[in-house]
Amino acid sequence: MDEDAKVYAISDAAELAGMHPQTLRQYDRLGLVRPARTRGRGRRYSMHDIQLLREVQRLSHEEGVNLAGIKRVLELEEEVRAMRRQVEFLRTLVDPRRRVFRADPTGNVVADRLRPLAEADPPRRPRWVPRQLTSGPTRRS
């Protein structure tokens, strides 16, 4: 079953998380956990939501963090996850194996062929180098 599938009613989620349903309602009002809603406005929780509820309870009881602090911790954790996704995306953009052009040892820009990311062969000479790039600067009158 999908961890993000919103299938548990509030009573089931409260039982799985070891909490009272009223506690889940309070956490929803505070924005700590955001369950999905049915057409009749009933709350539906996923297994991910239940794990999050358990983490909120752990931070509160074991670490002594108040609810405002827990909300901030959760926001910062989500921000870190978003930044990690962005870093991974940017890494794919700057991966030298995905470049179309590169600089050769003399500093000239040369065309490079695109290779699959899994390919790990040693760098080879490019197939095509524009003549203007290999001949150096020219004087214009």
Side-chain angles (χ1 to χ4, degrees):
M1 182 168 76
D2 181 18
E3 188 176 279
D4 292 322
K6 307 281 188 172
V7 296
Y8 299 101
I10 191 166
S11 58
D12 298 327
E15 185 177 332
L16 289 168
M19 300 177 174
H20 192 277
Q22 193 59 37
T23 306
L24 274 64
R25 289 183 188 95
Q26 179 184 7
Y27 289 173
D28 183 16
R29 279 192 299 275
L30 295 173
L32 294 174
V33 178
R34 298 196 184 269
R37 298 287 182 150
T38 64
R39 286 185 182 208
R41 302 289 301 149
R43 294 171 174 88
R44 288 293 181 261
Y45 293 85
S46 67
M47 188 49 78
H48 177 74
D49 293 332
I50 293 167
Q51 291 168 349
L52 185 59
L53 289 165
R54 290 176 183 157
E55 178 64 10
V56 169
Q57 186 175 38
R58 187 193 70 75
L59 288 170
S60 177
H61 293 140
E62 294 176 17
E63 303 294 331
V65 182
N66 65 22
L67 293 179
I70 292 172
K71 184 174 183 178
R72 186 67 181 137
V73 167
L74 297 176
E75 289 169 351
L76 290 171
E77 286 177 347
E78 178 53 38
E79 198 172 313
V80 167
R81 280 190 293 278
M83 286 182 193
R84 283 183 177 152
R85 285 189 302 269
Q86 185 176 18
V87 165
E88 285 306 311
F89 171 75
L90 293 173
R91 278 186 182 149
T92 63
L93 293 178
V94 298
D95 186 342
R97 294 173 290 175
R98 293 181 56 99
R99 292 190 184 149
V100 176
F101 295 97
R102 64 179 177 84
D104 70 7
T106 63
N108 291 322
V109 175
V110 294
D112 203 357
R113 66 182 180 90
L114 287 175
R115 294 183 299 234
L117 290 176
E119 189 178 320
D121 59 346
R124 298 188 313 195
R125 187 162 190 232
R127 291 182 178 173
W128 173 79
V129 178
R131 187 175 358 168
Q132 297 88 340
L133 296 177
T134 58
S135 63
T138 58
R139 293 185 66 176
R140 293 187 180 203
S141 33

